[in-house]
Amino acid sequence: MTNSAKNQGYITAQGELVLPPSQTPNWVWVPTGQLNILTLFVPGKSRGQWLEALPYAVEEQIAQPIEDVHLVPLNRQSNGEVTLAVVAKTQMAKWLDNLKQHGLETTQLVPDCFAVAWNAQDNQWLIADSFTRPGDKLIRNGDFCGMSLAQALVEPTLALANSESDITLQTGSWVDVANLSIRGLGLRTGDYAAKKQSHASLKYWRWPVLLLVGLLVLSVVKSWWQVNRIEQQAQAYQQQTDNLFKQLFPEISRIVNVRVQTQSFLKSAQQQSEQTGPAQLLKLVESSILANKAIKPGRVDWQNGQLSLQLIAPNTDALDKLVKALEGQAKVRLQIRNVSSEQAEGVIYVSAE
């Protein structure tokens, strides 16, 4: 093992942290023999889907309960095969506690099998002596794959692999640490991810930022409430318009465009009779009634050349104002039927002047 690789430091199988003198490593190697690296098929089109399915796929491949292990996806191929590291949570806790005792709270952990440089040809495995567990062998068999085996298990493992394909074992070399990227190889993910210490300035601005975020959220909620209220008012107005249209023209079963259909019906009715009828009178008062949202129209009757329209308003003043607005367009008479503290009910009689 080169001096540059040793400078990263490593944790032995007995739990001893070996560090280079006067240097702080970016990561330390940990024994591959104390974890499992598996490759298996995991269904799912998106990353979120296959990550959700990952624990169920792994559960059938390990002896420990799934809740007792830490899963670290290392790579996923296009055919759905995922390579991942499986580490007992108790083992992760021991390694992290070891780092903490030496002031290395943010240092990454990398399986030592990846210290063997991967430059093999097809159907080749690379082997080197383990430095975290003397006497064992490190075997690298892929970009994201590796294992640690006792010397006695190397040949049986190779024979088992040769039952499916022709594998040759070659002596490997150590990685050049200066050019090695450990991105995607580290074990500190999820709950074990390194947490960087907050700067003092960040702590100082924390509450102002939270206050600003709260104000922004409040502003968004207020805008949403106002828009929602306007939409509800518009829907209520549209519903009232549709109800009035159905009362006036019960023979029309489908409402497409109230304004266009009303104008078409009134035009047709005017052409059918030269006399002033209910359609003509409704046309005279339509805009004034519909424009006043406080007044709700009710039943409409036509008798003896006179149109009667029941109305409900907040008070009698609103009905009087409506009558004054209609004066000059037709002959209008108001009859108050019922008055309470909450509303006033009346009937306007409209006839041609």
Side-chain angles (χ1 to χ4, degrees):
M1 189 175 185
T2 63
N3 290 332
S4 60
K6 280 188 176 181
N7 286 343
Q8 291 307 131
Y10 56 90
I11 300 177
T12 67
Q14 291 74 33
E16 179 186 0
L17 177 58
V18 179
L19 294 174
S22 304
Q23 293 188 34
T24 301
N26 296 323
W27 75 88
V28 297
W29 306 108
V30 294
T32 304
Q34 294 180 340
L35 56 94
N36 290 321
I37 297 180
L38 306 176
T39 298
L40 44 81
F41 172 76
V42 182
K45 294 182 179 180
S46 67
R47 178 176 176 81
Q49 290 176 340
W50 68 260
L51 282 177
E52 185 176 355
L54 184 61
Y56 301 98
V58 174
E59 191 171 18
E60 300 178 356
Q61 306 293 326
I62 62 176
Q64 295 170 278
I66 194 67
E67 60 270 12
D68 292 342
V69 297
H70 173 50
L71 305 181
V72 186
L74 302 175
N75 183 53
R76 187 173 193 262
Q77 300 181 26
S78 58
N79 62 0
E81 286 191 346
V82 175
T83 301
L84 73 153
V86 182
V87 194
K89 291 181 178 180
T90 54
Q91 183 63 67
M92 286 293 297
K94 291 179 181 178
W95 287 336
L96 294 180
D97 184 61
N98 206 335
L99 293 179
K100 185 177 180 180
Q101 291 178 12
H102 291 80
L104 302 176
E105 288 86 350
T106 61
T107 303
Q108 183 60 271
L109 301 171
V110 180
D112 61 352
C113 65
F114 298 122
V116 181
W118 179 244
N119 52 9
Q121 303 297 322
D122 291 342
N123 296 330
Q124 279 188 349
W125 288 3
L126 301 178
I127 188 170
D129 292 329
S130 173
F131 52 91
T132 61
R133 198 168 187 170
D136 285 4
K137 298 294 182 179
L138 295 176
I139 296 178
R140 184 82 179 267
N141 57 347
D143 284 320
F144 300 92
C145 302
M147 66 187 80
S148 177
L149 297 174
Q151 178 66 54
L153 296 178
V154 173
E155 290 299 330
T157 302
L158 183 63
L160 181 62
N162 280 328
S163 64
E164 298 182 0
S165 59
D166 188 16
I167 302 295
T168 59
L169 198 60
Q170 303 292 330
T171 301
S173 60
W174 301 114
V175 296
D176 182 358
V177 175
N179 299 322
L180 176 63
S181 172
I182 63 166
R183 185 176 181 181
L185 301 178
L187 301 178
R188 298 193 63 176
T189 62
D191 295 337
Y192 299 101
K195 298 178 176 61
K196 296 183 179 180
Q197 296 180 351
S198 301
H199 297 291
S201 59
L202 181 59
K203 292 183 178 180
Y204 177 80
W205 287 104
R206 179 175 59 182
W207 290 112
V209 169
L210 289 176
L211 179 60
L212 179 60
V213 171
L215 291 175
L216 289 175
V217 172
L218 182 62
S219 177
V220 171
V221 171
K222 182 179 179 181
S223 299
W224 173 85
W225 180 81
Q226 290 175 340
V227 171
N228 187 59
R229 183 180 180 185
I230 292 173
E231 289 179 350
Q232 290 178 350
Q233 291 176 345
Q235 291 175 359
Y237 175 77
Q238 182 64 42
Q239 186 62 44
Q240 292 177 3
T241 303
D242 292 347
N243 292 338
L244 178 60
F245 183 86
K246 292 177 181 179
Q247 291 177 2
L248 296 177
F249 312 115
E251 66 276 13
I252 300 179
S253 59
R254 184 185 179 192
I255 300 176
V256 180
N257 187 308
V258 172
R259 183 177 296 277
V260 173
Q261 287 179 280
T262 302
Q263 291 176 349
S264 176
F265 186 86
L266 293 177
K267 183 177 180 180
S268 176
Q270 185 177 13
Q271 293 175 350
Q272 293 177 2
S273 175
E274 295 182 355
Q275 296 180 353
T276 302
Q280 287 77 8
L281 293 177
L282 277 176
K283 184 177 181 181
L284 292 175
V285 302
E286 174 193 14
S287 59
S288 297
I289 295 176
L290 294 180
N292 195 328
K293 297 180 181 179
I295 298 178
K296 298 181 180 179
R299 179 177 176 180
V300 179
D301 292 313
W302 170 259
Q303 187 174 9
N304 299 328
Q306 182 174 251
L307 181 72
S308 63
L309 176 60
Q310 295 181 1
L311 301 173
I312 299 176
N315 48 56
T316 57
D317 290 339
L319 295 175
D320 291 334
K321 289 180 181 179
L322 175 61
V323 171
K324 290 180 180 180
L326 295 175
E327 290 178 356
Q329 303 180 40
K331 185 177 179 181
V332 182
R333 178 171 61 89
L334 172 64
Q335 180 181 1
I336 301 299
R337 290 286 181 85
N338 187 20
V339 179
S340 65
S341 60
E342 298 180 353
Q343 64 182 24
E345 299 179 4
V347 179
I348 61 170
Y349 298 91
V350 185
S351 59
E353 294 183 337

